[in-house]
Amino acid sequence: MLRIDKLLANMGYGTRKEVKKLLKAGVVKVDGTIVKDAKIHVDPKAQVVTVWEEEVEYKPFIYLMMNKPKGVISATEDAVEETVVDLLEEEDRIFDPFPVGRLDKDTEGLLLLTNDGQLAHQLLSPKKHVPKTYEAIIDGEVTEADVAAFQRGVVLDDGYETKPAELVIIRSGLRSDVQVTITEGKFHQIKRMFQAIGKRVVYLKRIQMGPIPLDETLEPGEYRELTDEEIALLKGEDKK
Ligand code: URA
């Protein structure tokens, strides 16, 4: 079930404010009955919603940005662990979104969730080289030699040689603050890249994926819908 004003706004009938005016005007019907209350919940899969007697086509796509907190796993369901989908409101969960790629249980930050399989595939395809940027705290002193090693590519524990990655030292010391940008997504990649140079990641947060930075106003565990502009950027529609 989701609110009628949200449903209509999602389907392109205007902003929530504009949709409220439509409702007030008495042009919206649910199962043949005029509905004026924006707070009414409808089930778009089971009920027929019309605007000016025209049936509203149920648009199934949803695009969310979450600031993933530590302690939850990037999956849709799990018998034991809490998942990122468990953190969603029921009115968003009914669209069956899934996480676009994975962050480790102890990693925080930007996680996109959608039910648009084509977009997810585009973002995750190794051929597309979508850059992902992480903030990390490293146990140990990160040096310019490490920056050069990441630029060349390092050899992971399974023999895989990583593509060039950009390592930026924000502050170097016994513990170092860094930013790393990679264009691939191997299992535990950032942690294993530091392991390859003899260092350990003690904190990891994703702050950007492709053209989309994490909305820093989101507290860990909070999420919001992507704006139309953000969706267009992700789909690469800005380049057309
Ligand atoms: N690299 C990691 O090691 N962990 C993540 O969660 C993401 C990238």
Side-chain angles (χ1 to χ4, degrees):
M1 302 286 275
L2 80 162
R3 278 173 58 135
I4 184 86
D5 58 344
K6 184 166 184 185
L7 174 90
L8 292 175
N10 278 354
M11 304 201 180
Y13 285 89
T15 61
R16 288 240 192 154
K17 216 168 156 191
E18 288 161 350
V19 162
K20 265 207 180 107
K21 281 190 192 151
L22 283 179
L23 286 157
K24 264 207 176 138
V27 300
V28 180
K29 290 183 183 171
V30 177
D31 287 338
T33 305
I34 292 178
V35 165
K36 294 194 169 182
D37 184 355
K39 291 199 283 292
I40 267 185
H41 283 71
V42 293
D43 177 355
K45 283 181 184 163
Q47 293 177 294
V48 177
V49 179
T50 57
V51 178
W52 294 297
E53 303 301 335
E54 231 174 73
E55 191 169 337
V56 173
E57 211 193 317
Y58 175 55
K59 181 188 132 203
F61 289 141
I62 186 169
Y63 303 91
L64 305 172
M65 163 194 300
M66 177 182 284
N67 183 358
K68 179 193 168 296
K70 280 185 187 158
V72 300
I73 62 166
S74 301
T76 51
E77 51 188 24
D78 192 89
V80 188
E81 307 274 8
E82 189 176 25
T83 73
V84 288
V85 170
D86 292 333
L87 299 180
L88 301 180
E89 305 274 344
E90 142 90 354
E91 66 177 21
D92 296 312
R93 211 164 32 222
I94 61 158
F95 289 96
D96 294 329
F98 54 86
V100 179
R102 282 164 189 272
L103 291 178
D104 296 338
K105 186 174 169 185
D106 61 354
T107 301
E108 293 180 10
L110 176 60
L111 186 67
L112 301 175
L113 294 111
T114 185
N115 55 1
D116 181 342
Q118 200 185 336
L119 180 67
H121 177 76
Q122 243 186 62
L123 292 172
L124 297 174
S125 164
K127 286 190 210 118
K128 302 276 182 184
H129 310 292
V130 173
K132 282 148 287 201
T133 301
Y134 296 82
E135 256 174 32
I137 301 176
I138 308 302
D139 186 15
E141 191 174 345
V142 177
T143 64
E144 288 304 324
D146 298 332
V147 173
F150 272 36
Q151 184 56 44
R152 280 193 305 270
V154 297
V155 178
L156 302 183
D157 46 9
D158 59 359
Y160 177 79
E161 189 176 340
T162 60
K163 300 249 157 28
E166 191 190 4
L167 173 59
V168 178
I169 302 170
I170 310 292
R171 192 184 56 87
S172 187
L174 287 178
R175 282 201 160 187
S176 305
D177 298 330
V178 300
Q179 275 190 11
V180 191
T181 302
I182 55 175
T183 57
E184 354 170 54
K186 303 283 172 209
F187 185 61
H188 295 329
Q189 180 157 346
I190 302 282
K191 291 175 187 164
R192 289 163 71 215
M193 286 177 78
F194 278 98
Q195 192 187 17
I197 57 166
K199 281 161 200 173
R200 195 167 63 89
V201 174
V202 293
Y203 172 81
L204 191 60
K205 175 182 180 182
R206 181 155 64 194
I207 55 168
Q208 180 129 4
M209 183 154 181
I212 306 294
L214 174 66
D215 179 343
E216 294 280 357
T217 66
L218 295 172
E219 296 290 333
E222 289 185 344
Y223 70 96
R224 67 161 170 81
E225 285 190 52
L226 293 185
T227 63
D228 290 344
E229 289 75 25
E230 287 170 332
I231 295 167
L233 272 175
L234 271 180
K235 290 183 175 173
E237 285 170 0
D238 57 315
K239 290 184 211 108
K240 279 179 197 157

